[in-house]
Structures are given as structure tokens and as C-alpha cells.
């Protein structure tokens, strides 16, 4: 009897300890050991969030969702706006914006619309381990949408670069569902820079706001020099390893799904997570906006932490009443703007800022290299060793006359086996 009572006490204590740790876990813990971001590297993010928000408008001259200080995007610089009726149910709406002030050509994609079945078709077109791509796994439906968008707008982007100058940067940005499409478009583009006048890789950037888990860990780290994810405090989507099609298929029972996902992942070993090549992650470098603290009421002045994490890449669900509200583009744009203003107020003299800027540029490159090396050390499947990385294969499309066949270019990231089926350039073995 005493032995049974002892075992019962141990089990009760263990369950209570687990429940306490899960219920008291806050989003700020994910980045508590990360260094703070600088104003220079974070400066484009509020502006890009405003451009994404503009996609939700039908008329920028008479906006319905404008931020308090109005849109920075100028209606006369909008090159193209594509609505749901024009996307042929292949992707969410988007716009192309020529920012002449900052010398950027921006393709911004809106997030999931819960009342549009076409968005669900993109989202549900996937299953675990379905789509292999560029040495890893990606979300099948999002890759198809990215390829379709490049087929439709690749010529437009090329013409804008020729017209405005090749010193302009290509910026792909998206929110929620659109963030995954933007991230995968960026991977395709940096592997085919010859299609865009051979602009430097450093002139291609992606901002995935409230990002979806759309690529395997090796790809998320490999492309961290061009892809940036922006996450507000407790946002549920980057933390939920459950496939997207299951999340939004259960949207009306989301709290239950989050709880059981939290329980399952607590009992799953981290090494098994890291070594599963099919497991998808939020892409690139992370910018985490933190504004709430444990056992404190209200919002605090936001601060931004940044890193390229390999372990602890937003692996824990946060049981928070803000888990869904922190996913809203309106809140992210507002808090990002506040955080940038605080960074600038804390700035020092021009000379010190210039020295800091040069040092930070070198630091970003070094952080990326360290992350690649750590992924190799942790035996992440098909991680890229920075000392042994082979130069990208020339994935040219031949003659530049006529329209580029993006389906063929994407297919060149694969090889065919003896039976004629597509497989990766590097064999993938799922253990």
C-alpha cells in the first residue's frame, strides 16, 4: 500500500510540475538569450508590414485599414494589384510596389482569408514528407503557389529592374499563408539570379511576417542570409509543428489542438525532432518582438531580439490568450513601428552609429556561418557545411528570348532516378 501511495505521489508531482511549466511558459522565454536587434537591420520591417497591409485594401486612396499615421506606400508607385478573381485560385492576392525612395521592388502577399476556399486549397495541398526540394522538404501547396506567381510575374519583375536600374533590391514579403509563398519564391530566385540580370544575392531579401512553417531545418538555416521571419511575442503559427492543413482544418477547435500539440511535443525528445528531415520550421533569421512579461499586466515597451536558432527554434506552444491576436498583421505593424522608434531614440552619435553598422554587418555574416556549423554538429539531416558548400549549379534557362519556364527551372533542383521519377540532388533517407 505504501509503495502504491508513493508511486501515486510521484506521478501527481510530475504531472503538476509539467502543468506548471507549460502554463507559466511565455513567449519571451524563446528569445531571452538572443542579442538585441539594431535599428539599421530592423528598419525595413515596419515599412514592409505596411506594404503587406496595403494588399488588404481595395483602394489606397480611400483606405479602410490604414495605420494611425497613414500608409507610407504611395498609390502612384503601385505597379500592379492582383485580386482573388485574377489569381485563378492559385494564390492569395498580392501587389507589386516600386519603392523609389528606398530603391526596392516589393512583391507583397496577403495572409489566409478564412472565408476563401481557394486559400484552403493551397494550404491543404500537403502532407508530411510530400514535397522534396533543394536538399530538404517544403510545403507542397506553397511551393506550387510560389512557382505559379513567378511564372506570372517574373517578367514584370525583370522589366522593373531593367527600367529602374539593377541597383534596386528585390523584396518578397508575406503574412501568414503569404509568408510561406514569399519564402519559397526567394529560394527559387536566389538559385536563378541570372533570370534577373545577375543581381547580387545580397539584393534579394524576404520578410516572412507571422511565418508559416514551410521548410525543413537545413533549408531554414541555409537561407537565413536572405530570409527574415518576424514574430510577435506569443504568435501560435511559427510554434505549431502540426501540419498547417491540420491547424486550419481544426480552426474552430484551435485551443484544444494547441493543448494536445503542446502535450505531445513535451514528451517528444528534441533529438528526434532535429533529426526528422520532414519536419517543417519557420524560415530564416528570426526577429522576435517581445512586449509582455511573466505575471505582469499590460504591454511593455517592445524590444526586438534576433538570432538564427538551430535548437529551440520556437518549439514550445504558448498557452496564452494572445496566441491568436499576436498573429494579426495590424498588431505586428504597430508594435514593430514602436520598437523601431525606441531603437532610434536609444541611438548614439553618427560616428558611433557608422562604426556599429559596419561591425553589425560582419556580425550578421558570422552568425549565419556559426548557425550552419552548429546544424552540422547537431547532425541535422543534409545540413550545409560552410567550408564544404559546393557553388550553386548554373540553373539557366538558355536563351533569354521569350518567357521563362519556371516549372522547368524549379525541376532543375531535382534529378531523375532510373525509373524516371524526380528525387533530390542529395538522397534523403527518412529514419
Amino acid at each position: 500500500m505504501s509503495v502504491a501511495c508513493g508511486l501515486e505521489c510521484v506521478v501527481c508531482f510530475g504531472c503538476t510540475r509539467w502543468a506548471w511549466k507549460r502554463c507559466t511558459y511565455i513567449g519571451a522565454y524563446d528569445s531571452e538569450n538572443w542579442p538585441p536587434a539594431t535599428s539599421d537591420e530592423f528598419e525595413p520591417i515596419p515599412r514592409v508590414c505596411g506594404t503587406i497591409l496595403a494588399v488588404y485594401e481595395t483602394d489606397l486612396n480611400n483606405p479602410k485599414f490604414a495605420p494611425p499615421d497613414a500608409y507610407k506606400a504611395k498609390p502612384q508607385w503601385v505597379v500592379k494589384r492582383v485580386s482573388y478573381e485574377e489569381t485563378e485560385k492559385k494564390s492569395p492576392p498580392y501587389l507589386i510596389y516600386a519603392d523609389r525612395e528606398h530603391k526596392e521592388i516589393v512583391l507583397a502577399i496577403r495572409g489566409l482569408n478564412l472565408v476563401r476556399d481557394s486559400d484552403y486549397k493551397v494550404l491543404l495541398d500537403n502532407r508530411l514528407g510530400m514535397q522534396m526540394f533543394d536538399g530538404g522538404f517544403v510545403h507542397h501547396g506553397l511551393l506550387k503557389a510560389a512557382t505559379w506567381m513567378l511564372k506570372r510575374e517574373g517578367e514584370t519583375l525583370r522589366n522593373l529592374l531593367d527600367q529602374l536600374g539593377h541597383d534596386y533590391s528585390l523584396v518578397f514579403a508575406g503574412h501568414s499563408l503569404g509568408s510561406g509563398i514569399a519564402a519559397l519564391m526567394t529560394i527559387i530566385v536566389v538559385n536563378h539570379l541570372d533570370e534577373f540580370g545577375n543581381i547580387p544575392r545580397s539584393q534579394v531579401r524576404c520578410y516572412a511576417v507571422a511565418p508559416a512553417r514551410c521548410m525543413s531545418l537545413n533549408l531554414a538555416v541555409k537561407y537565413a542570409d536572405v530570409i527574415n521571419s518576424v514574430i510577435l511575442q506569443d504568435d501560435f503559427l511559427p510554434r505549431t509543428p502540426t501540419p498547417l492543413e491540420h491547424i486550419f482544418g481544426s480552426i474552430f477547435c484551435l485551443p484544444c489542438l494547441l493543448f494536445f500539440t503542446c502535450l505531445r511535443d513535451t514528451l517528444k525528445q528534441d533529438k528526434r525532432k532535429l533529426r526528422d528531415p520532414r519536419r517543417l520550421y519557420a524560415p530564416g533569421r528570426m526577429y522576435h518582438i517581445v512586449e509582455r512579461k511573466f505575471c505582469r499586466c499590460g504591454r511593455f515597451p517592445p524590444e526586438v531580439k534576433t538570432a538564427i536558432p538551430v535548437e529551440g527554434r520556437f518549439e514550445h506552444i504558448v498557452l496564452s490568450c494572445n496566441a491568436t491576436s499576436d498573429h494579426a498583421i495590424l498588431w505586428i505593424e504597430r508594435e514593430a513601428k514602436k520598437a523601431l522608434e525606441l531603437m532610434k531614440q536609444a541611438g548614439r552619435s553618427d560616428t558611433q552609429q557608422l562604426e556599429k553598422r559596419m561591425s553589425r554587418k560582419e556580425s550578421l555574416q558570422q552568425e549565419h556561418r556559426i548557425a550552419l556549423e552548429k546544424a552540422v554538429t547537431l547532425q541535422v539531416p543534409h545540413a550545409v557545411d560552410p567550408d564544404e558548400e559546393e557553388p550553386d549549379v548554373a540553373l539557366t534557362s538558355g536563351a533569354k528570348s521569350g518567357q521563362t519556364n519556371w516549372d522547368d527551372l524549379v525541376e532543375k533542383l531535382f534529378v531523375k532516378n532510373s525509373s524516371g521519377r524526380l528525387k533530390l540532388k542529395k538522397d534523403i533517407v527518412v529514419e
Side-chain angles (χ1 to χ4, degrees), residues 18-19 22-23 25 234 255 258-259 262 317-323:
W18 173 86
R22 299 311 304 150
C23 293
Y25 191 90
D234 299 335
L258 294 180
F259 177 79
C262 172
I317 295 293
V318 178
L319 301 177
S320 165
C321 58
N322 299 293

Side-chain angles (χ1 to χ4, degrees), residues 90-92 107 109-110 122 141-147 149 172-174 176-188 206 212 214:
K90 300 291 181 61
S91 79
L107 194 157
I109 312 167
R110 68 156 288 162
V122 173
L142 297 181
L143 180 62
K144 283 176 60 179
T147 306
M149 200 172 291
F172 300 95
S176 189
L177 178 67
S179 69
I181 299 174
L184 295 177
M185 284 179 69
T186 303
I187 291 181
I188 298 172
C206 172
C214 59

Side-chain angles (χ1 to χ4, degrees), residues 79-193:
V79 176
K80 190 173 188 178
R81 178 188 292 274
V82 178
S83 64
Y84 271 109
E85 289 70 27
E86 298 171 283
T87 59
E88 305 173 13
K89 297 185 177 181
K90 300 291 181 61
S91 79
Y94 59 91
L95 64 78
I96 299 176
Y97 180 72
D99 189 341
R100 290 168 171 82
E101 181 181 354
H102 300 94
K103 290 194 173 184
E104 294 174 343
I105 298 170
V106 185
L107 194 157
I109 312 167
R110 68 156 288 162
L112 179 78
N113 189 333
L114 294 176
V115 299
R116 288 281 181 172
D117 62 344
S118 58
D119 284 3
Y120 282 100
K121 288 180 180 178
V122 173
L123 190 68
L124 299 175
D125 187 11
N126 188 60
R127 63 179 182 272
L128 187 65
M130 178 180 183
Q131 181 66 65
M132 297 182 293
F133 182 73
D134 192 25
F137 284 90
V138 297
H139 187 285
H140 179 69
L142 297 181
L143 180 62
K144 283 176 60 179
T147 306
W148 176 86
M149 200 172 291
L150 279 173
K151 287 166 62 178
R152 181 184 174 105
E153 304 301 346
E155 190 70 26
T156 304
L157 297 176
R158 275 197 300 268
N159 291 339
L160 283 171
L161 279 172
D162 292 337
Q163 176 188 343
L164 298 174
H166 284 229
D167 56 337
Y168 273 63
S169 296
L170 277 179
V171 177
F172 300 95
H175 169 247
S176 189
L177 178 67
S179 69
I181 299 174
L184 295 177
M185 284 179 69
T186 303
I187 291 181
I188 298 172
V189 168
V190 297
N191 279 285
H192 301 93
L193 291 173

